[in-house]
Amino acid sequence: MIHMDRNTSPLSPLTKEAITEVINETIIYEYPSDEIDRFKSLYAEHYHINAENLELANGSDEWIQKTVMTLGHNGVMALSPDFVMYQEYAEQAGVSFDTVKCDENFQFDFDIVIAEIKRLRPSLFLLSMPHNPTGQLFREDELSKLAQSMQEVNGYLAVDEAYGEFAPVYKRPEGEHVVIIRTLSKIYGLAGLRVGIAIAEGDTFEKITKINHPYPVNSLSLNLASRIFENKDELEKFTQYQLKSKDSLTEAFKAADGEVSIIDSSTNFIFTYGENARALGQYLWDHGYKPRIYDKAPLNNAVRYSIIRLEDYETLVKLINEWSNQNDSKGKIHKGNKDFNITR
Ligand SMILES: Cc1ncc(COP(=O)(O)O)c(C=O)c1O
C-alpha cells in the first residue's frame, strides 16, 4: 500500500550510512545540552532568526499542547475544519473550544471570524497556515486582521506553519501576541524524530516555555536533525524533491478536475471534495494508494492525498484517468466548469 494519508515525506533525508555515523558520534550518557544549542543555532541561521526566540519540543504537537496549556485559559478558538489536535488539546486542558465554520467550498469569512473573537474573547486562536486539511494559504490581510483582533482581546494568535516550507513566502504577523509553531516532520522528512519548534518574543516566550522540561528533545534526534541542516546542498536537493513531488501530485489530479473539486494547495497534500470525491478516493485505495477519507461533517465528502515517491505517480495518473473515463462513459458525472471547481 502506498500511503497518501499521512502528510509526511515519502523518503528519508539521511542515508543509512549517515544515520549510523550520527549514532556513533552521539554521546548518550550525558544530557543533551550542547546538542540543543547546536541545533538551535543551525535552525536559527537557516531561517535568519534569533536563536534566543526559539525553543524545542517533541514535535509541533507538543507546542500546540503547551500553547493551549499556557495561553488558552480563557478559551481556545479555531477554524472548522482545522488540524484535529487543536480540539483534543483544548479538551485535555479543560478549556472551552469554539470554532468558526467554513462555507460549502471550504472557504472562511474572516469578518465572521473577527466578530466571533470580539464576542467570545478567547485567549488563544490556533490557525494552521497553510491550512490543514484544505491546503489553502490565507491572505496576509486576513492574517493580520486576525492577529490584531486577538491582540485587542488581550489574547494570542498561534500560527501553525507545519507546511510553511511548501508555501510562498508571506508576511507573518509579529509581536508578543503571536506564536509561530513549526516542525521537522514535513518538508524535512523527520516525523519519526519528533522535533517541533516554537518561536515567540518577550513575555510570551517566557509563558510558553515555563512548563518546559530541562532537556525537551533527546540527543539522537537533535544530532540527526543538525546533520541535515549542516549539509546545505543535500538539504536543498531533498526539499526540491518534495516540491517536485507536490507538482506531480497537482498534475496527477488534473485528470479529475470537474469531477471532483480541488483546492489550490500550498502544502504537501491536496484536498478534494464534492459528491464524487469519496468514490475516487475509494477507487485509488482499492488499487493500492491509500488517501485520507474523512467521515465527519463538514469533511464527509472530502478526501486528502499527500505526496508520494516520484516513481509512483505514473500508476497513480493511470488510475485517476481510468476512474475518470469509467465515470464519463457511465454518464454519471457532469463535468463542471474547471474554473468554477478550483477554489484557491
Ligand atoms: C497543521 C499541523 N500541525 C501540526 C502537526 C503535528 O506535527 P508534528 O509531527 O510536528 O507533531 C501536523 C501533523 O500532521 C499538522 O498537520
Side-chain angles (χ1 to χ4, degrees), residues 56-177:
L56 310 178
N58 271 276
S60 57
D61 253 303
E62 189 175 330
W63 278 121
I64 298 163
Q65 185 186 40
K66 283 183 161 158
T67 311
V68 168
M69 287 166 71
T70 55
L71 306 178
H73 46 278
N74 283 342
V76 176
M77 195 181 265
L79 302 179
S80 173
D82 205 322
F83 182 44
V84 286
M85 296 309 291
Y86 298 165
Q87 179 164 5
E88 286 283 325
Y89 294 131
E91 283 170 6
Q92 280 179 10
V95 297
S96 65
F97 182 77
D98 291 285
T99 58
V100 180
K101 293 189 175 26
C102 60
D103 68 15
E104 67 283 5
N105 288 312
F106 295 92
Q107 302 300 301
F108 297 93
D109 182 338
F110 277 79
D111 289 337
I112 299 178
V113 176
I114 282 145
E116 282 300 277
I117 290 172
K118 286 192 177 142
R119 186 174 74 83
L120 294 167
R121 304 182 67 82
S123 51
L124 175 65
F125 197 104
L126 285 164
L127 177 84
S128 61
M129 163 86 176
H131 183 239
N132 180 10
T134 67
Q136 65 191 295
L137 193 68
F138 301 114
R139 292 199 317 262
E140 286 174 4
D141 65 303
E142 292 170 329
L143 200 60
S144 127
K145 269 198 293 191
L146 180 59
Q148 198 191 331
S149 59
M150 283 310 295
Q151 187 175 29
E152 281 164 12
V153 298
N154 296 320
Y156 300 84
L157 169 66
V159 186
D160 174 356
E161 295 187 334
Y163 305 95
E165 293 83 4
F166 289 90
V169 175
Y170 67 92
K171 189 173 170 348
R172 57 179 61 76
E174 287 174 8
E176 285 200 26
H177 58 298

Side-chain angles (χ1 to χ4, degrees), residues 60-321:
S60 57
D61 253 303
E62 189 175 330
W63 278 121
I64 298 163
Q65 185 186 40
K66 283 183 161 158
T67 311
V68 168
M69 287 166 71
T70 55
L71 306 178
H73 46 278
N74 283 342
V76 176
M77 195 181 265
L79 302 179
S80 173
D82 205 322
F83 182 44
V84 286
M85 296 309 291
Y86 298 165
Q87 179 164 5
E88 286 283 325
Y89 294 131
E91 283 170 6
Q92 280 179 10
V95 297
S96 65
F97 182 77
D98 291 285
T99 58
V100 180
K101 293 189 175 26
C102 60
D103 68 15
E104 67 283 5
N105 288 312
F106 295 92
Q107 302 300 301
F108 297 93
D109 182 338
F110 277 79
D111 289 337
I112 299 178
V113 176
I114 282 145
E116 282 300 277
I117 290 172
K118 286 192 177 142
R119 186 174 74 83
L120 294 167
R121 304 182 67 82
S123 51
L124 175 65
F125 197 104
L126 285 164
L127 177 84
S128 61
M129 163 86 176
H131 183 239
N132 180 10
T134 67
Q136 65 191 295
L137 193 68
F138 301 114
R139 292 199 317 262
E140 286 174 4
D141 65 303
E142 292 170 329
L143 200 60
S144 127
K145 269 198 293 191
L146 180 59
Q148 198 191 331
S149 59
M150 283 310 295
Q151 187 175 29
E152 281 164 12
V153 298
N154 296 320
Y156 300 84
L157 169 66
V159 186
D160 174 356
E161 295 187 334
Y163 305 95
E165 293 83 4
F166 289 90
V169 175
Y170 67 92
K171 189 173 170 348
R172 57 179 61 76
E174 287 174 8
E176 285 200 26
H177 58 298
V178 179
V179 177
I180 305 290
I181 296 175
R182 298 213 187 122
T183 182
L184 301 191
S185 298
K186 306 299 175 183
I187 206 162
Y188 298 117
L190 298 177
L193 298 189
R194 314 302 301 125
V195 183
I197 298 110
I199 304 164
E201 292 173 22
D203 251 14
T204 311
F205 183 82
E206 299 305 319
K207 280 186 181 155
I208 62 168
T209 56
K210 78 174 179 224
I211 55 170
N212 262 17
H213 304 168
Y215 301 101
V217 180
N218 71 75
S219 343
L220 192 52
S221 288
L222 290 164
N223 285 349
L224 288 164
S226 290
R227 174 71 169 242
I228 73 160
F229 280 92
E230 268 166 359
N231 192 335
K232 298 273 183 229
D233 291 344
E234 284 298 313
L235 185 59
E236 176 64 14
K237 252 202 270 170
F238 186 73
T239 54
Q240 283 306 323
Y241 183 96
Q242 316 282 312
L243 295 170
K244 197 161 172 221
S245 177
K246 167 60 194 325
D247 288 345
S248 303
L249 181 69
T250 309
E251 202 52 40
F253 276 86
K254 281 196 175 149
D257 267 3
E259 290 166 11
V260 296
S261 298
I262 301 171
I263 295 185
D264 268 0
S265 168
S266 300
T267 63
N268 63 354
F269 57 84
I270 67 162
F271 181 82
T272 64
Y273 66 99
E275 61 173 322
N276 304 307
R278 284 180 78 98
L280 173 59
Q282 194 58 55
Y283 184 83
L284 295 176
W285 194 345
D286 292 344
H287 290 81
Y289 287 78
K290 184 176 180 209
R292 174 77 195 268
I293 300 185
Y294 297 89
D295 296 318
K296 286 195 199 133
L299 294 167
N300 42 345
N301 66 353
V303 181
R304 196 191 64 192
Y305 303 84
S306 54
I307 54 171
I308 51 178
R309 290 174 190 234
L310 294 177
E311 62 268 29
D312 292 328
Y313 281 106
E314 196 181 327
T315 310
L316 180 72
V317 169
K318 220 172 85 208
L319 289 167
I320 296 174
N321 276 305

